[in-house]
Amino acid sequence: MIRIYGDSISGNCLKVKWVAERLGIEHEWVEIDIIKGETRTDEFLAINPFGQVPVVEFENGKTLAQSNAIIAFLADGSDLIPDAAFERAKVLEWQFWEQYSHETAIAVRRFQKHYEKKSDDEIDPHLMAKGRRALGRMELALLGNDWIAGGEAMTLADISLLAYTRLAHEGGFDVSEFPAVHAWIARCERELGLPHLHEVTDVQV
């Protein structure tokens, strides 16, 4: 059995949880409260010197951090990773983009607004503009496609992007303004057996 250290408010941690559950990987979830500083304790830093969640500890004592690295390892050989080299690379393309251009706006604004309780005036206005551009980029990719990387089935790219897109409203983003993204969220939620956070009719856009 693997042990997953994560905070349930973190989209990056939820990615790992969803992949483990989707693939039926037996695991123990260890809740780590970021806001209380539990990633900075000596006990946690002994597991992950980077001081971040998620991190997975394996039975042999090895550990692995960084959400997209973890889910790539867990999903190796599964239907969440395409067989063909180019399609696999497209999944990676979206995952790299998610960490650099999506999470850095949507997740950051969500944390500041929802958890730090900052007013809109206290938050960098560029975060809203950058987040909306990210959602617009996803909207274009999902026009006529069910899945973000353009294939026939859900991949790790969808799971990576779902984590914070699904919670974007907590950062003040109105996902209903992006109908293809809105429908994709519902599609992913059904695929993963998650509760629907947004009322939406799943139609082809």
Side-chain angles (χ1 to χ4, degrees):
M1 180 190 295
I2 65 172
R3 182 176 290 121
I4 303 171
Y5 296 85
D7 190 326
S8 296
I9 72 169
S10 163
N12 284 325
C13 296
L14 291 176
K15 295 177 195 175
V16 178
K17 184 175 187 290
W18 293 340
V19 169
E21 290 175 349
R22 166 66 181 261
L23 299 177
I25 297 172
E26 190 175 3
H27 63 280
E28 175 189 357
W29 178 270
V30 180
E31 186 73 17
I32 301 293
D33 193 320
I34 300 170
I35 294 175
K36 290 183 179 178
E38 292 180 357
T39 57
R40 299 300 174 183
T41 65
D42 291 341
E43 293 80 7
F44 184 82
L45 290 171
I47 298 165
N48 183 13
F50 293 112
Q52 296 174 322
V53 285
V55 61
V56 170
E57 186 176 27
F58 298 93
E59 290 185 14
N60 60 9
K62 290 183 178 181
T63 59
L64 185 62
Q66 298 301 316
S67 60
N68 287 338
I70 295 169
I71 63 177
F73 180 83
L74 296 181
D76 188 38
S78 78
D79 62 353
L80 292 174
I81 300 177
D83 292 330
F86 182 78
E87 281 69 27
R88 287 199 306 274
K90 291 299 288 185
V91 170
L92 290 172
E93 177 183 71
W94 279 105
Q95 289 183 292
F96 291 140
W97 178 83
E98 180 263 336
Q99 290 284 280
Y100 186 78
S101 299
H102 180 284
E103 181 194 14
T104 51
I106 293 175
V108 170
R109 198 177 199 283
R110 171 192 177 239
F111 189 82
Q112 292 181 6
K113 185 175 181 67
H114 192 68
Y115 292 101
E116 296 183 329
K117 305 301 182 184
K118 290 185 178 181
S119 68
D120 288 341
D121 290 341
E122 296 175 290
I123 299 173
D124 181 352
H126 292 98
L127 291 176
M128 176 59 76
K130 185 178 179 181
R132 285 181 55 80
R133 285 196 300 272
L135 292 169
R137 177 67 187 89
M138 293 177 65
E139 181 76 10
L140 290 174
L142 288 163
L143 292 175
N145 291 312
D146 283 348
W147 307 108
I148 197 70
E152 297 292 320
M154 170 180 275
T155 68
L156 290 182
D158 297 288
I159 292 175
S160 291
L161 280 159
L162 177 68
Y164 283 115
T165 306
R166 183 173 180 254
L167 300 171
H169 62 284
E170 294 181 348
F173 298 95
D174 185 357
V175 182
S176 67
E177 295 179 4
F178 305 89
V181 174
H182 206 200
W184 167 83
I185 291 172
R187 194 176 304 123
C188 290
E189 288 172 336
R190 282 199 300 275
E191 189 75 13
L192 294 171
L194 303 174
H196 293 310
L197 294 186
H198 308 270
E199 290 298 324
V200 62
T201 302
D202 186 10
V203 295
Q204 294 296 321
V205 180

